[in-house]
């Protein structure tokens, strides 16, 4: 399919067209962006606002050359839940801030030393299994949300809501055409929500009582909470950047092909990584989840061939405005848990399957004992929830421990393949995760 643009990167659309095109991108990211805070217990309104602010920061840092939208990252769901359990929302925000700093450090190193080192550190045999862990480690959460009523007990009524939502999302994912194929999550949530209304498990009272314009409860460091660094939070959150950095590179590869520009060279991988990290830091400063570039919005670019950064900036502004509309925030909060559970069953499975697909596309040979050992250790440590307890009350667990183990095994075990040629001229094998 030709990628000749209808609107190129710096083209400015007419006002009515601008609004319509920006709304398309808003709808594409909306379902996934509000699902993450819903799962981890953060405010969806703040997630919307921080995604808009983060996207604007990304566009500024990349010199308005990279049309991308940044939404809530699914890779950090389990770490954020664990961080909140150990130290409340404040700990999650500190961890999110630290993850953003890692991006800044990596961007600085790439700007000085090039990009080859990071691909040696994060080959598919490491990243693929870790992505599988991300999907499967939180699968129990999705199933519990789908089957149980608000009291935590099994309910066939609530499970039916989840199954209807799941079925609708699958149908939209497989059979929908054009724009609708980009928003299966949002479409599935809408269908599930309507069914939930019909069976009588939705309470509209909060929507009726909500004001039209209302500021969400931002979590501001040193104002809403005292900032406290702990090594436990560091080891919970920071190692996950191993995976999200690989995801970011994959998205830049695909985006370069869609738009017809080499974004790795200009404005440079270091700028896009810095923009991603800055968005995550901004999110941490206001109380939102970590951010990542969204494959859904890249899909919108591919379908519409509208690459204008003005359109992405418009979507970011709309997201910020939506976050301050109290009626919309209240409506989001009335979505029953089984609806989100039904969507999550498919979405978490897709994340896990995308890790498997990365291994297949990369032609990883599991007849090679080296590859078999690395993937096996990552999967069992990550899904099994292994914990390493170190002095000074430091704990490294689950996904973080799996990622670190994979990186170390890849560096230590003999027979490590070298990265040859220009990785950015090869077929992309890293952009397989939905969000």
């Amino acid at each position: 399919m030709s990628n000749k643009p209808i609107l190129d990167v710096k083209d400015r659309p007419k006002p009515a067209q601008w609004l319509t095109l920006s709304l398309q991108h808003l709808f594409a990211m909306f379902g996934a962006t509000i699902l993450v805070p819903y799962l981890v217990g953060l405010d969806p309104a703040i997630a919307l606002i921080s995604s808009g602010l983060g996207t604007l920061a990304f566009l500024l840092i990349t010199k308005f050359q990279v049309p991308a939208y940044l939404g809530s990252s699914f890779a950090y769901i389990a770490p954020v839940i664990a961080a909140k359990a150990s130290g409340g929302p404040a700990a999650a925000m500190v961890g999110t801030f630290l993850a953003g700093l890692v991006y800044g450090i990596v961007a600085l190193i790439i700007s000085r030393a090039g990009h080859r080192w990071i691909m040696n550190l994060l080959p598919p045999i490491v990243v693929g299994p870790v992505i599988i862990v991300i999907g499967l480690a939180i699968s129990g959460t999705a199933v519990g949300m789908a089957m149980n009523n608000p009291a935590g007990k099994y309910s066939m009524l609530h499970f039916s809501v989840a199954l209807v939502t799941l079925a609708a999302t699958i149908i939209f994912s497989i059979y929908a055409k054009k724009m609708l194929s980009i928003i299966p999550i949002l479409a599935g949530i809408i269908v599930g929500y309507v069914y939930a209304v019909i069976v009588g498990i939705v309470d509209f009272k909060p929507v009726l009582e909500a004001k039209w314009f209302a500021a969400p409860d931002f979590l501001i460091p040193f104002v809403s909470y005292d900032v406290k660094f702990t090594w436990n939070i560091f080891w919970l959150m920071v190692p996950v950047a191993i995976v999200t950095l690989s995801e970011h590179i994959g998205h830049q590869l695909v985006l370069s092909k869609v738009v017809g520009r080499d974004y790795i060279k200009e404005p440079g991988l270091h700028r896009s990584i810095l923009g991603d990290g800055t968005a995550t830091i901004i999110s941490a400063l206001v109380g939102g989840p970590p951010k990542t570039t969204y494959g859904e919005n890249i899909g919108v670019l591919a379908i519409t061939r509208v690459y204008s950064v003005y359109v992405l900036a418009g979507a970011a502004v709309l997201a910020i405005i939506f976050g301050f509309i109290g009626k919309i925030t209240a409506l989001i909060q009335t979505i029953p848990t089984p609806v989100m559970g039904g969507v999550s069953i498919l979405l978490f499975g897709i994340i896990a399957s995308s890790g498997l697909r990365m291994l297949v596309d990369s032609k990883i040979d599991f007849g090679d004992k080296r590859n078999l050992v690395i993937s096996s250790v990552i999967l069992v440590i990550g899904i099994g929830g292994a914990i390493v307890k170190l002095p000074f009350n430091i704990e490294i667990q689950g996904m973080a421990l799996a990622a670190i183990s994979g990186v170390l095994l890849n560096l230590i075990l003999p027979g490590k393949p070298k990265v040859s040629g220009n990785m950015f001229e090869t077929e992309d094998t890293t952009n397989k995760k939905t969000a």
Side-chain angles (χ1 to χ4, degrees), residues 121-208:
L121 193 68
L122 303 174
I125 187 57
V126 172
V127 177
V130 174
I131 292 176
I132 294 173
V133 167
I134 289 173
L136 296 184
I138 51 179
S139 58
T141 299
V143 173
M145 292 171 63
M147 294 193 309
N148 298 331
N149 61 21
K153 296 182 179 180
Y154 177 84
S155 167
M156 190 59 222
L157 176 63
H158 288 75
F159 198 16
S160 72
V161 173
L163 293 176
V164 168
T165 306
L166 174 60
T169 308
I170 291 172
I171 291 170
F172 284 117
S173 298
I174 296 177
Y175 297 108
K177 304 295 183 182
K178 296 184 177 180
M179 184 58 203
L180 200 58
S181 67
I182 301 298
I183 57 170
I185 297 172
L186 179 61
I189 289 174
I190 292 172
V191 171
Y193 187 83
V194 170
Y195 177 76
V197 171
I198 293 172
V199 299
I201 65 170
V202 178
D203 180 11
F204 287 108
K205 186 178 179 180
V207 180
L208 298 174

Side-chain angles (χ1 to χ4, degrees), residues 163-366:
L163 293 176
V164 168
T165 306
L166 174 60
T169 308
I170 291 172
I171 291 170
F172 284 117
S173 298
I174 296 177
Y175 297 108
K177 304 295 183 182
K178 296 184 177 180
M179 184 58 203
L180 200 58
S181 67
I182 301 298
I183 57 170
I185 297 172
L186 179 61
I189 289 174
I190 292 172
V191 171
Y193 187 83
V194 170
Y195 177 76
V197 171
I198 293 172
V199 299
I201 65 170
V202 178
D203 180 11
F204 287 108
K205 186 178 179 180
V207 180
L208 298 174
E209 294 177 348
K211 297 178 180 178
W212 275 105
F213 297 99
D217 294 325
F218 292 103
L219 295 175
I220 310 297
F222 302 109
V223 176
S224 305
Y225 60 88
D226 293 326
V227 175
K228 183 180 179 182
F229 171 85
T230 68
W231 283 108
N232 280 340
I233 298 303
F234 178 92
W235 290 114
L236 271 174
M237 299 288 288
V238 168
V240 183
I242 292 172
V243 179
T244 53
L245 280 166
S246 178
E247 177 189 18
H248 176 93
I249 294 170
H251 283 169
Q252 293 305 297
L253 287 166
V254 173
L255 190 58
S256 294
K257 292 180 181 179
V258 169
V259 180
R261 287 170 169 81
D262 188 350
Y263 286 129
I264 307 306
K265 292 183 179 178
E266 181 60 37
L269 183 61
H270 63 289
R271 280 188 173 271
S272 63
I273 287 177
L274 179 61
D276 205 332
T278 301
T280 295
I281 289 174
I282 290 172
S283 192
L285 295 177
V286 297
K291 296 293 179 278
T292 185
T293 48
Y294 259 25
E296 292 93 330
N297 295 89
I298 296 175
V300 174
L301 294 172
I303 288 176
T304 63
R305 289 185 288 129
V306 173
Y307 309 143
S308 172
V309 292
Y310 292 100
V311 172
L312 275 302
V317 172
L318 288 173
I320 294 170
I321 293 172
F322 271 43
F324 284 101
I325 298 178
K327 295 286 187 184
I328 291 178
T329 302
L331 186 64
I332 293 171
Q333 293 173 342
T334 64
I335 299 175
T337 299
V339 171
M340 292 305 197
V343 170
S344 299
I345 288 174
L346 178 62
L347 196 56
F348 294 170
I350 288 176
I351 292 172
S353 298
S354 67
L356 181 61
R357 182 176 175 181
M358 177 187 292
L359 296 172
V360 173
D361 289 349
S362 302
K363 297 180 173 62
I364 299 299
D365 179 13
F366 282 99

Side-chain angles (χ1 to χ4, degrees), residues 42-107:
L42 296 175
D43 190 337
I46 296 177
L48 286 174
I49 293 169
S50 60
S51 76
L53 293 173
T55 298
L56 293 176
F58 178 90
L59 294 174
L60 180 64
I61 291 170
T62 56
K63 302 190 289 187
F64 293 95
Q65 294 181 19
V66 183
Y69 194 93
L70 284 79
S72 307
S73 173
F74 281 84
Y76 287 93
I77 290 176
V80 168
I81 292 174
K84 284 189 65 183
S86 65
M93 293 305 102
V94 171
T96 299
F97 184 88
L98 293 173
L101 286 182
V102 171
Y103 274 76
I105 294 169
V106 170

Side-chain angles (χ1 to χ4, degrees), residues 107-114 270:
L108 179 62
I109 296 173
I110 289 176
S111 69
R112 297 289 185 268
H270 63 289

Side-chain angles (χ1 to χ4, degrees), residues 5-9 11-13 17 21 305-308 311:
I6 294 174
L7 286 175
D8 210 347
V9 174
D11 292 343
R12 183 179 298 180
Q17 185 186 36
L21 294 171
R305 289 185 288 129
V306 173
Y307 309 143
S308 172
V311 172

